[in-house]
């Protein structure tokens, strides 16, 4: 049995979260104030309901307290997003994830107990910047202000050498979490596993260390 999700606010972000969760086999309740938008999600959710997400009585009547996760993606105005977050946290939903418009919105959501705050444009923008910054970096995930995980393409310089020979951890303080070659993924690679040009290395470490590895190590 899959988990139960409520997706509230079905703009571009919310509707895609909804469709994807539903495709993954979960029970998804889709909620939006706009009837036309709700109509479009009818066949991509378990239930699609027209409702004002700031109306506590309606949210209660929809049985929201029983959901494992609620994802709030109301953009336009910050106030309904904040109000809805408050109501759902008060109802006792364990995981309330909210899309934030800007830094102030983010701060308020943090204060009122949102469990995860997403700023898609900011986060995606940063990821893309890192991909543009380096031709070697093909993906980038920020773990914290200091640490990240990147995917880098192995260059000729480190081709035909083992992880011990390249000595990523000792020389650069970074850990190679996985090596992707064609369709195969080698997770937790061993010291004597070889790297070949074109392999994709999934590397975790301090941002400065990753930068050093990328510039000097390969
Ligand atoms: P995206 O960028 O993902 O398209 P957005 O951040 O621009 O979204 P909007 O399109 O403004 O956000 O809002 C997302 C949805 O939230 C809209 O479909 C809108 O109808 C819905 N919405 C706004 N206020 C409420 C509310 N009080 N209750 C329910 N839904 C609401
Ligand atoms: P250490 O105490 O450094 O782990 P060790 O003798 O236990 O040393 P290994 O950890 O097995 O040796 O590997 C030796 C070296 O190979 C490490 O110091 C590191 O530089 C490199 N290495 C091995 N595996 C990885 C990996 N997955 N990612 C990055 N570097 C690796
Ligand atoms: Ca928008």
């Amino acid at each position: 049995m899959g988990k139960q999700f409520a997706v509230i606010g079905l703009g571009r972000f919310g509707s895609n979260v909804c469709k994807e969760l539903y495709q993954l086999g979960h029970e998804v309740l889709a909620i939006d104030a706009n009837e036309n938008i709700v109509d479009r999600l009818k066949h991509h959710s378990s239930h699609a309901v027209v409702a004002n997400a700031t109306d506590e009585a309606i949210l209660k009547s929809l049985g929201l307290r029983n959901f494992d996760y609620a994802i709030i993606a109301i953009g336009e105005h910050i106030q309904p997003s904040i109000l809805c977050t408050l109501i759902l946290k008060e109802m006792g939903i364990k995981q309330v994830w909210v899309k934030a418009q800007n830094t102030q919105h983010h701060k308020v959501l943090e204060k009122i107990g949102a469990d995860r705050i997403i700023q898609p444009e900011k986060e995606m923008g940063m990821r893309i910047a890192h991909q543009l910054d380096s031709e070697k970096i093909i993906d980038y995930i920020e773990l914290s202000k200091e640490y990240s995980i990147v995917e880098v393409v192995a260059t000729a310089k480190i081709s035909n050498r083992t992880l011990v020979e390249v000595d990523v951890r000792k020389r650069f303080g970074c850990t190679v979490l996985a090596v992707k070659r064609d369709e195969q993924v080698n997770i937790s690679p061993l010291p004597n596993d070889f790297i070949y040009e074109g392999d994709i290395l999934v590397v975790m470490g301090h941002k400065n260390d990753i930068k050093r590895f990328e510039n000097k190590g390969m």
Side-chain angles (χ1 to χ4, degrees), residues 1-8 17-18 20-22 24-31 45-47 59-72 88 92-97:
M1 184 60 193
K3 298 178 198 154
Q4 280 192 310
F5 294 90
V7 181
I8 300 166
V17 172
C18 174
E20 202 70 16
L21 284 171
Y22 186 61
L24 288 166
H26 297 292
E27 188 178 333
V28 187
L29 170 63
I31 299 172
S45 62
S46 317
H47 312 276
L59 295 180
K60 276 193 178 145
S61 75
L62 289 169
L64 251 93
R65 72 171 84 242
N66 300 318
F67 281 69
D68 305 306
Y69 283 86
I71 300 92
I72 302 171
L88 297 187
I93 297 186
K94 293 232 164 52
Q95 288 291 324
V96 178
W97 293 20

Side-chain angles (χ1 to χ4, degrees), residues 139-179:
D139 205 358
Y140 167 89
I141 298 168
E142 188 169 59
L143 294 175
S144 69
K145 282 213 162 60
E146 293 174 350
Y147 293 90
S148 52
I149 295 176
V150 299
E151 288 190 354
V152 289
V153 186
T155 58
K157 188 172 163 184
I158 58 170
S159 192
N160 264 307
R161 297 171 67 194
T162 64
L163 285 167
V164 182
E165 285 165 1
V166 180
D167 212 7
V168 186
R169 196 176 293 142
K170 278 215 185 88
R171 288 178 59 211
F172 303 101
C174 306
T175 299
V176 178
L177 301 174
V179 179

Side-chain angles (χ1 to χ4, degrees), residues 180-194:
K180 299 191 204 175
R181 185 172 303 140
D182 303 322
E183 292 303 297
Q184 293 195 323
V185 184
N186 174 6
I187 55 163
S188 36
L190 300 170
N192 290 321
D193 285 350
F194 277 89

Side-chain angles (χ1 to χ4, degrees), residues 105-119:
H105 190 191
H106 193 294
K107 275 187 188 156
V108 176
L109 291 171
E110 224 167 51
K111 285 254 192 298
I112 63 174
D115 298 284
R116 177 153 172 205
I117 301 150
I118 306 123
Q119 283 186 258

Side-chain angles (χ1 to χ4, degrees), residues 10-55:
L10 306 168
R12 285 166 305 171
F13 183 81
S15 64
N16 281 295
V17 172
C18 174
K19 286 179 192 170
E20 202 70 16
L21 284 171
Y22 186 61
Q23 282 223 324
L24 288 166
H26 297 292
E27 188 178 333
V28 187
L29 170 63
I31 299 172
D32 198 287
N34 183 319
E35 195 177 340
N36 296 328
I37 287 172
V38 171
D39 263 350
R40 276 186 247 143
L41 270 294
K42 274 221 167 92
H43 301 293
H44 304 282
S45 62
S46 317
H47 312 276
V49 180
V50 182
N52 179 356
T54 61
D55 187 330

Side-chain angles (χ1 to χ4, degrees), residues 194-213:
F194 277 89
I195 299 170
Y196 299 103
E197 186 175 2
D199 284 356
I200 294 166
L201 309 181
V202 182
V203 181
M204 179 174 70
H206 194 284
K207 286 177 185 176
N208 298 340
D209 292 335
I210 290 176
K211 199 82 196 159
R212 274 196 311 124
F213 170 55

